[in-house]
């Protein structure tokens, strides 16, 4: 929008300015300064606390766990191997959770009493068991009965736990599509399945993408819990390195940072997809 | 237009929404090629009536036959029947994630299993028919209300339906767009299509209707030819209603 030319002088009385204090508090500079001060205090607190304990910082020993270059050439370190394991575990579990979540959501929305009851029953069962207990159930109880290993138990636990959360995302997304879309699809002779596939689900994706991003990030983070049954993912690797080196401060900071980098990249990637999807509508 | 076999027949049809009695003992029939216009105050059951015809709603008792097929909840023939009955909605209900052309081809391709080439050829033919061939590649949100409603009409026509239902097709339109939609509907009526139209556009009704129906509180109060309906309706309620909407 083109505003009035520079020569234009407003004739009306200027509006009263907000108080000086609120102008300062609302400014971007103030927020940045405040943020920097708070982060600075936390880092300083941790550092000086560690100094007071006489902690021996050995950051120089950390890079070797990312990669090493020896006579044999370049090699990825343990942390990177753990990261790969974390990512494959999360991806597999997420794929499983998505399929299961969609099934639960469709059962719930089917309008058939039995299917709705089954899906609500499953939902409440899983939602009301702590993730850690669920993991123990799968690994120590169901694992021996059905004979699956710790990695499978982890995938099942994470998949089942997140499927109920994802099913709610699907349900909300599907319900967000206007009722008229169903009627239009129905009126041109589409079956319920066709209406879902060609009309309803494609439209609900844009409602589902933002909460799904959160779910992916949540999945990567909650995958850390499988370290209690010693699946060799990032957190387990962290514990192993610490038990070898006693560098608990450095390694936990590093592991936290690796998780953060991964989840930030994921969030950023999905936000680009979201924007593209929004444009194509 | 007299004679001809009934293509839609209601026989003592009743419909309830919970305790609410939406349709009360409806018996009426529509012949092939007949144009029926239904009017009445809001809540009189006229939308419910036409939504029963293609099974968007199901009646609770009585017999409803459309194109020789009985309509009831759970009928195996209902999907096939819906292909023969096109419907145009008050709110257009175009598919916002598909282009205009895709809106028109998805039904024929997925439901009738037509090839893409055939479906697109048909789609372009009907876009011509509703006078917007140049909008094929746009998304519905880029079109005006009148254009969207004409696309919606074309979408139904692409299914090569034998019956077209219109549920207040101009009620959500800005006044200057009403005529472009009504013109398309008049042209459609001229092709001999069987049409059941719920509308308050009495000018349109006079022009195309073979039969006028007035409904109130779930009952059919008056059925008459347009000439008699507009000049000398039998019931006082119908007369009062017409006076109200024709006053302006």
């Amino acid at each position: 929008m083109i505003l009035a030319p520079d020569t234009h002088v407003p004739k009306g009385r200027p509006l009263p300015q907000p108080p000086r204090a609120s102008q300062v508090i609302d400014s971007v500079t103030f927020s940045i300064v405040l943020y920097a001060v708070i982060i600075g205090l936390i880092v300083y607190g941790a550092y000086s606390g560690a100094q007071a304990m006489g902690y021996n910082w050995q950051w120089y020993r950390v890079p070797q766990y990312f990669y090493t270059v020896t006579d044999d050439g370049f090699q990825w370190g343990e942390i990177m191997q753990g990261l790969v394991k974390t990512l494959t575990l999360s991806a597999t579990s997420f794929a499983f959770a998505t399929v299961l979540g969609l099934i639960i959501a469709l059962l719930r929305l089917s309008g058939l009493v039995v299917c709705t009851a089954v899906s609500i029953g499953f939902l409440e069962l899983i939602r009301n068991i702590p993730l850690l207990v669920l993991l123990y159930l799968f690994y120590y109880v169901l694992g021996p009965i059905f004979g699956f290993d710790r990695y499978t138990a982890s995938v099942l636990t994470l998949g089942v736990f997140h499927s109920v959360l994802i099913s709610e995302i699907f349900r909300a997304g599907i319900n967000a599509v206007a009722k008229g879309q169903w009627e239009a699809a129905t009126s041109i002779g589409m079956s319920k399945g066709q209406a879902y596939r060609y009309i309803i689900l494609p439209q609900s994706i844009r409602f589902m993408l933002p909460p799904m991003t959160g779910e992916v990030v949540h999945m990567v983070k909650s995958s850390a819990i499988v370290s209690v049954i010693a699946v060799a993912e990032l957190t387990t690797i962290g514990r192993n390195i610490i038990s070898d080196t006693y560098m608990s401060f450095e390694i936990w900071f590093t592991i936290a940072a690796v998780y953060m980098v991964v989840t930030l990249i994921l969030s950023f990637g999905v936000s680009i997809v979201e924007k593209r999807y929004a444009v194509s509508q | 237009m007299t004679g001809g076999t009934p293509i839609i027949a209601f026989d003592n049809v009743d419909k309830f929404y919970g305790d609410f009695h939406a349709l009360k003992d409806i018996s009426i029939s529509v012949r092939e090629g007949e144009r029926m216009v239904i009017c009445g105050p809001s809540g009189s059951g006229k939308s419910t009536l036409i939504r029963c015809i293609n099974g968007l709603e199901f009646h609770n008792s009585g017999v409803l036959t459309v194109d020789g097929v009985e309509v009831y909840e759970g009928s195996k023939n209902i999907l096939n029947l819906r292909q023969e009955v096109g419907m145009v909605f008050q709110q257009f209900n175009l598919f916002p994630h598909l282009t205009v052309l895709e809106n028109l081809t998805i039904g024929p391709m997925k439901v009738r299993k037509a090839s893409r080439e055939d479906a697109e050829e048909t789609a372009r033919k009907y876009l011509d028919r509703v006078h917007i061939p140049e909008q094929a590649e746009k998304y519905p949100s880029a079109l005006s209300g009148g254009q969207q409603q004409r696309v919606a009409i074309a979408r139904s026509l692409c299914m090569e339906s034998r019956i077209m239902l219109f549920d207040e097709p101009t009620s959500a339109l800005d006044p200057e767009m009403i005529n472009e939609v009504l013109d398309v509907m008049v042209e459609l009526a001229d092709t001999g299509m069987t049409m059941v139209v719920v509308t308050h556009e009495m000018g349109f009704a006079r022009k195309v209707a073979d039969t006028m129906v007035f409904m109130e509180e779930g009952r059919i109060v008056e059925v008459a030819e347009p000439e008699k309906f507009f000049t000398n309706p039998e019931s006082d309620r119908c007369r009062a209603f017409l006076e109200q909407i024709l006053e302006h």
Side-chain angles (χ1 to χ4, degrees):
Chain A
M1 192 172 135
I2 299 163
L3 294 170
D6 293 341
T7 51
H8 179 79
V9 179
K11 291 195 195 92
R13 176 179 63 80
L15 294 170
Q17 291 290 312
R20 192 85 198 135
S22 74
Q23 280 185 46
V24 171
I25 290 171
D26 287 343
S27 71
V28 176
T29 327
F30 182 80
S31 312
I32 294 172
V33 169
L34 188 66
Y35 183 76
V37 166
I38 290 171
I39 295 295
L41 283 175
I42 291 170
V43 171
Y44 177 76
Y47 178 76
S48 61
Q51 290 303 100
M53 286 166 58
Y55 188 82
N56 178 22
W57 294 95
Q58 304 175 70
W59 281 107
Y60 66 92
R61 288 177 65 190
V62 172
Q64 59 172 310
Y65 295 108
F66 282 92
Y67 64 90
T68 46
V69 183
T70 58
D71 294 341
D72 300 337
F74 181 88
Q75 270 186 319
W76 290 112
E78 281 179 74
I79 287 181
M80 295 314 276
Q81 284 160 11
L83 176 60
V84 170
K85 193 80 169 182
T86 286
L87 292 179
T88 48
L89 174 66
S90 304
T92 318
S93 309
F94 194 77
F96 174 54
T98 305
V99 173
L100 193 59
L102 183 61
I103 294 171
I104 297 166
L106 292 180
L107 284 179
R108 179 94 184 257
L109 292 167
S110 66
L112 302 171
V113 178
V114 178
C115 296
T116 311
V118 167
S119 106
I120 293 179
F122 182 76
L123 203 102
E124 290 303 329
L125 178 73
I126 301 301
R127 204 156 50 176
N128 291 299
I129 299 176
L131 179 54
L132 185 58
V133 175
L134 203 61
L135 181 66
Y136 287 151
L137 274 175
F138 269 100
Y139 184 55
Y140 292 113
V141 180
L142 298 179
I145 293 175
F146 295 103
F148 44 73
D149 61 6
R150 60 187 75 211
Y151 185 75
T152 313
S154 307
V155 170
L156 290 176
T157 306
L158 290 170
V160 163
F161 184 76
H162 283 267
S163 72
V164 299
L165 305 173
I166 288 175
S167 84
E168 289 295 76
I169 295 174
F170 273 118
R171 198 164 68 94
I174 288 168
N175 282 337
V177 175
K179 191 166 157 263
Q181 294 293 311
W182 274 111
E183 297 184 344
T186 307
S187 78
I188 57 173
M190 284 194 179
S191 64
K192 207 165 183 184
Q194 288 174 321
Y196 264 122
R197 182 164 160 208
Y198 301 116
I199 307 300
I200 304 300
L201 288 178
Q203 288 186 64
S204 48
I205 284 175
R206 84 192 137 115
F207 299 113
M208 295 190 277
L209 266 181
M212 278 297 223
T213 317
E215 236 8 80
V216 174
V217 169
H218 189 183
M219 174 71 88
V220 172
K221 290 186 295 179
S222 58
S223 73
I225 201 158
V226 307
S227 63
V228 301
I229 57 168
V231 172
E233 47 69 71
L234 193 50
T235 305
T236 308
I237 296 289
R239 285 211 313 202
N240 293 348
I241 296 172
I242 290 163
S243 62
D244 291 346
T245 62
Y246 301 104
M247 297 193 297
S248 48
F249 284 25
E250 294 89 334
I251 295 300
W252 284 134
F253 274 127
T254 308
I255 298 289
V258 172
Y259 274 114
M260 227 175 84
V261 168
V262 170
T263 53
L264 283 176
I265 289 172
L266 281 174
S267 307
F268 183 68
V270 178
S271 76
I272 289 172
V273 176
E274 259 168 50
K275 280 201 191 94
R276 283 183 57 178
Y277 218 84
V279 171
S280 76
Q281 287 285 324
Chain B
M1 199 185 254
T2 49
T5 45
I7 192 165
I8 303 170
F10 285 80
D11 197 4
N12 305 113
V13 168
D14 278 76
K15 161 83 183 159
F16 296 85
Y17 290 111
D19 288 337
F20 180 68
H21 202 165
L23 294 179
K24 297 171 184 162
D25 195 23
I26 301 288
S27 290
I28 196 169
S29 62
V30 182
R31 298 179 308 274
E32 181 136 29
E34 181 175 352
R35 274 88 61 165
M36 179 180 281
V37 172
I38 305 172
C39 61
S42 66
S44 60
K46 45 195 197 312
S47 284
T48 308
L49 181 80
I50 75 164
R51 288 160 64 88
C52 282
I53 297 175
N54 70 344
L56 280 186
E57 311 277 354
F58 291 99
H59 59 287
N60 301 106
S61 66
V63 179
L64 166 58
T65 319
V66 178
D67 201 17
V69 176
E70 192 182 340
V71 180
Y72 58 93
E73 189 156 19
S75 162
K76 283 184 191 136
N77 296 317
I78 197 80
L79 290 180
N80 290 326
L81 178 69
R82 284 183 183 133
Q83 296 177 28
E84 305 301 329
V85 185
M87 186 157 197
V88 175
F89 300 88
Q90 184 177 351
Q91 300 293 342
F92 329 138
N93 295 351
L94 293 178
F95 306 131
H97 61 303
L98 302 176
T99 64
V100 165
L101 194 65
E102 289 165 344
N103 263 276
L104 303 195
T105 54
I106 192 154
M109 282 169 58
K110 302 303 178 194
V111 179
R112 289 226 192 258
K113 310 291 177 203
S115 71
R116 178 178 291 280
E117 293 73 35
D118 290 350
E120 287 191 355
E121 198 186 319
T122 316
R124 291 192 191 277
K125 181 176 91 183
Y126 284 115
L127 275 182
D128 262 347
R129 177 88 74 82
V130 299
H131 314 299
I132 36 175
E134 71 284 359
Q135 312 284 7
E137 313 304 331
K138 291 190 184 162
Y139 283 91
S141 56
L143 272 54
S144 72
Q147 290 173 328
Q148 289 191 42
Q149 192 60 300
R150 286 186 282 151
V151 172
I153 293 173
R155 178 175 64 185
S156 289
L157 292 175
C158 280
M159 291 303 290
E160 309 281 8
S161 312
R162 301 174 57 203
I163 303 169
M164 286 285 282
L165 309 174
F166 293 84
D167 188 2
E168 307 209 27
T170 57
S171 301
L173 293 174
D174 291 333
E176 76 272 20
M177 292 168 185
I178 291 177
N179 280 332
E180 64 186 60
V181 171
L182 291 180
D183 287 346
V184 166
M185 289 168 65
V186 171
E187 288 165 27
L188 186 62
D190 290 341
T191 66
M193 174 73 79
T194 308
M195 292 166 71
V196 181
V197 185
V198 171
T199 187
H200 290 154
E201 295 295 332
M202 289 303 140
F204 166 80
R206 266 181 217 267
K207 217 180 282 180
V208 307
D210 297 310
T211 312
M212 292 296 305
V213 174
F214 176 72
M215 288 185 72
E216 191 172 50
E217 290 176 1
R219 282 180 212 287
I220 292 179
V221 177
E222 180 130 4
V223 182
E225 291 185 355
E227 181 62 26
K228 181 166 186 301
F229 185 85
F230 286 111
T231 53
N232 189 23
E234 270 172 32
S235 74
D236 295 339
R237 318 189 94 169
C238 181
R239 190 188 302 269
F241 177 76
L242 285 174
E243 272 167 16
Q244 270 183 348
I245 62 168
L246 292 175
E247 233 165 43
H248 305 289

